[in-house]
Amino acid sequence: MTTQSWKLTRRSWNGAVLTAFLCLGAIPGSASGAIQSRAMRSPFWHSGALLAAPLLACAISATPAPTRSPAAPAPGAAVLDPTERAITEAVDARNVDAIALLERIVNLNSGTMNLAGVRAVGDVLRGELDGLGFTTRWVDGAGFQRAGHLVAEHRGTGPKLLLIGHLDTVFEPSSPFQRFERLSETSARGPGVIDMKGGDVIIIHALKALKAAGALDALTITVVFDGDEEHPGDPVAQARRALVDAAAGAAAAIGFEDGSGDPHKANTARRGAGFWTLRSTGTPAHSSQIFRDDVGPGAIFEAARVLEAFRVQLAGQQYLTFSPGVALGGTALTLDAPHNQGTAAGKTNVVARDMVVQGDLRTVSPEQLAQVKAAMRDIVARPLPHSSSTIEFDDGYPPMAPTAGNTRLLALYDAVSRDLGMGEVTAVDPIKAGAADVSFVAGLVPMALDGIGLAGRDDHTDRETADLAMLPGLTKRAALLLHRLGSAASR
Ligand SMILES: [Zn+2]
């Protein structure tokens, strides 16, 4: 997700249950317009057990910085202990294999709805994880109309760490963009090469390097590779149950999405993406009588009142956006949400009876979401004479709120990066970060971080390109982060 803020708007979540409408506004009156629908079911991520252990977060905050030589060594190996050096050397030794694995899985089409293809990618990664001593299982996706997910577990003595990847891409078999293409020594183009098969390879090869250095045994790790990140299954509560269950007791959740494309950035917060539907009604009458005491202003003015109050009272709040994407108003409306179509008919000499408006709602925390929903409901509840309004919300993808724990995890990752001589890593501005799978578990664990996958550009397009020169460095960063997290509690 190079520009994460538009990730959700570029998806197509059709065939869904609850809907919101974007992009193609239909003009109120005698008009009809195609509308795009998407859907997510109600929130469920708090339904799982809140079993995450805060102990690691405490341990990290008390963990001293790695010992540095007073001789002020050059950035890099001098600040790494022998095990850490062995891990980085193991990454370098396998970089050719890592690129080969990336090429292999990019060449397996795994558009979300190509269920066999998603499973084929899962089978490859499952073999890798089996070889590392993980216990692996496939979570069947028939119940939510998708391929399913790969879950792999490794039990050591350290705190449980949850690593998140996904197997699917936006490129279905019908896409002309199907093959891994090496552009140069340092770059390759291909479907999903950074979103996020590159991140998946980083997970696998970080674990391989840890194994080679004798540092894997101590780690307690659960890896979840979702099969439907790009087009989540329905109901989404069921589609994300395996991920939510895997977060139980985890000390940290780490997502390997491609992030901002800048290797000096990672995500400590992501805005959620929800939707709302406003329905307003008025009292039909001859238009010449509008505003009379017994007629009122009609449905369209009532809806306009609500929308303007939303804008005046709520626009400009930090990290909040809400956008009415489509509006239908008149005397007779049809709304065919699953097929992305609606019509409105009215007459210029009739006071409008109905108006429906649908839009999105993006917030940075559950608290902000609750506050904004309450404010919107309050506005809706004060109708103009002889009219009324109601609003329904679909919470969609939850926000990943910025927390002190997430900031601590970023600080640890930043320290790893500096110790590797790779420079600082700072937080992505949440306004630029759309929702991702990590958002479903961020509220369940003491610490979460995302966007530390393979850097590149132009994901979700046929120019999707990976910066292969970054692959070993990003793999080392991930491996050392896991190593330090896994041993932090014992330090
Ligand atoms: Zn992705």
Side-chain angles (χ1 to χ4, degrees):
M1 294 183 294
T2 303
T3 306
Q4 298 170 49
S5 57
W6 45 251
K7 175 161 190 172
L8 283 165
T9 65
R10 301 185 65 199
R11 292 186 193 182
S12 173
W13 286 336
N14 297 326
V17 178
L18 299 174
T19 57
F21 304 88
L22 301 172
C23 307
L24 302 175
I27 307 300
S30 303
S32 67
I35 48 184
Q36 291 190 333
S37 91
R38 65 179 51 190
M40 304 299 298
R41 281 246 168 118
S42 300
F44 62 89
W45 38 91
H46 42 69
S47 63
L50 284 164
L51 297 176
L55 297 175
L56 177 60
C58 301
I60 285 173
S61 59
T63 300
T67 306
R68 290 172 191 274
S69 159
V79 293
L80 305 180
D81 68 25
T83 302
E84 293 179 335
R85 279 202 296 277
I87 292 168
T88 63
E89 287 161 9
V91 170
D92 284 330
R94 288 166 179 74
N95 192 49
V96 171
D97 294 344
I99 294 172
L101 176 62
L102 180 60
E103 178 170 0
R104 182 178 174 201
I105 59 176
V106 167
N107 281 337
L108 291 171
N109 177 282
S110 61
T112 311
M113 300 313 293
N114 176 9
L115 307 191
V118 172
R119 277 203 79 132
V121 174
D123 286 344
V124 172
L125 299 184
R126 186 175 190 171
E128 300 284 350
L129 290 161
D130 285 336
L132 288 165
F134 279 66
T135 302
T136 59
R137 64 192 163 89
W138 186 261
V139 178
D140 185 66
F144 44 93
Q145 296 90 52
R146 296 294 183 273
H149 317 303
L150 175 61
V151 178
E153 294 173 288
H154 183 275
R155 290 183 196 277
T157 55
K160 178 177 171 181
L161 309 175
L162 172 61
L163 312 185
I164 304 168
H166 65 79
L167 306 168
D168 62 318
T169 75
V170 297
F171 302 100
E172 297 292 340
S174 57
S175 166
F177 190 43
Q178 295 291 341
R179 302 297 292 179
F180 181 97
E181 182 186 356
R182 190 73 179 255
L183 300 177
S184 71
E185 194 60 30
T186 57
S187 68
R189 183 166 52 208
V193 70
I194 55 171
D195 186 11
M196 64 172 286
K197 291 175 176 175
D200 297 340
V201 168
I202 286 175
I203 292 174
I204 298 292
H205 271 264
L207 296 173
K208 284 191 173 198
L210 288 160
K211 175 91 170 176
L216 183 60
D217 283 353
L219 301 184
T220 301
I221 290 177
T222 297
V223 185
V224 176
F225 286 120
D226 277 333
D228 60 345
E229 197 273 349
E230 301 291 359
H231 186 174
D234 179 36
V236 71
Q238 193 175 340
R240 289 297 169 274
R241 187 160 298 141
L243 180 63
V244 169
D245 287 350
I254 305 170
F256 288 77
E257 288 279 8
D258 48 316
S260 65
D262 178 353
H264 297 291
K265 295 284 184 188
N267 298 91
T268 54
R270 290 180 171 279
R271 294 198 299 162
F275 315 105
W276 49 270
T277 304
L278 170 70
R279 295 177 190 276
S280 298
T281 60
T283 301
H286 195 288
S287 63
S288 64
Q289 305 306 305
I290 191 169
F291 309 133
R292 228 174 56 182
D293 285 350
D294 59 341
V295 175
I300 292 176
F301 272 123
E302 164 61 11
R305 172 196 73 81
V306 171
L307 296 177
E308 179 65 353
F310 284 178
R311 189 185 68 79
V312 170
Q313 295 183 32
L314 297 170
Q317 191 178 122
Q318 189 178 30
Y319 301 136
L320 169 67
T321 56
F322 52 90
S323 174
V326 67
L328 300 168
T331 308
L333 310 184
T334 63
L335 194 59
D336 182 5
H339 295 96
N340 311 333
Q341 293 181 354
T343 63
K347 290 188 179 299
T348 55
N349 61 0
V350 175
V351 174
R353 188 184 67 191
D354 292 302
M355 179 116 175
V356 60
V357 184
Q358 299 200 269
D360 77 342
L361 172 58
R362 294 162 191 264
T363 56
V364 79
S365 68
E367 293 75 20
Q368 185 179 41
L369 178 60
Q371 173 252 319
V372 171
K373 285 162 69 173
M376 287 180 156
R377 285 197 179 101
D378 189 55
I379 291 167
V380 165
R382 302 165 189 270
L384 295 169
H386 298 286
S387 59
S388 66
S389 289
T390 61
I391 191 165
E392 292 174 19
F393 295 96
D394 170 359
D395 285 347
Y397 258 59
M400 173 186 180
T403 66
N406 299 356
T407 300
R408 279 200 298 276
L409 187 52
L410 175 63
L412 191 66
Y413 187 65
D414 172 62
V416 166
S417 182
R418 291 167 187 264
D419 291 347
L420 285 165
M422 295 176 67
E424 67 172 8
V425 183
T426 58
V428 176
D429 184 345
I431 203 78
K432 297 178 180 171
D437 276 345
V438 71
S439 305
F440 286 96
V441 296
L444 305 177
V445 297
M447 302 186 294
L449 189 67
D450 194 23
I452 64 169
L454 184 54
R457 57 186 162 83
D458 295 332
D459 60 352
H460 288 214
T461 77
D462 61 6
R463 303 179 305 281
E464 183 170 339
T465 301
D467 182 353
L468 294 180
M470 291 300 303
L471 182 59
L474 293 168
T475 306
K476 291 172 191 175
R477 268 191 195 170
L480 292 194
L481 178 66
L482 299 179
H483 173 62
R484 290 184 183 181
L485 282 169
S487 56
S490 61
R491 285 189 185 187

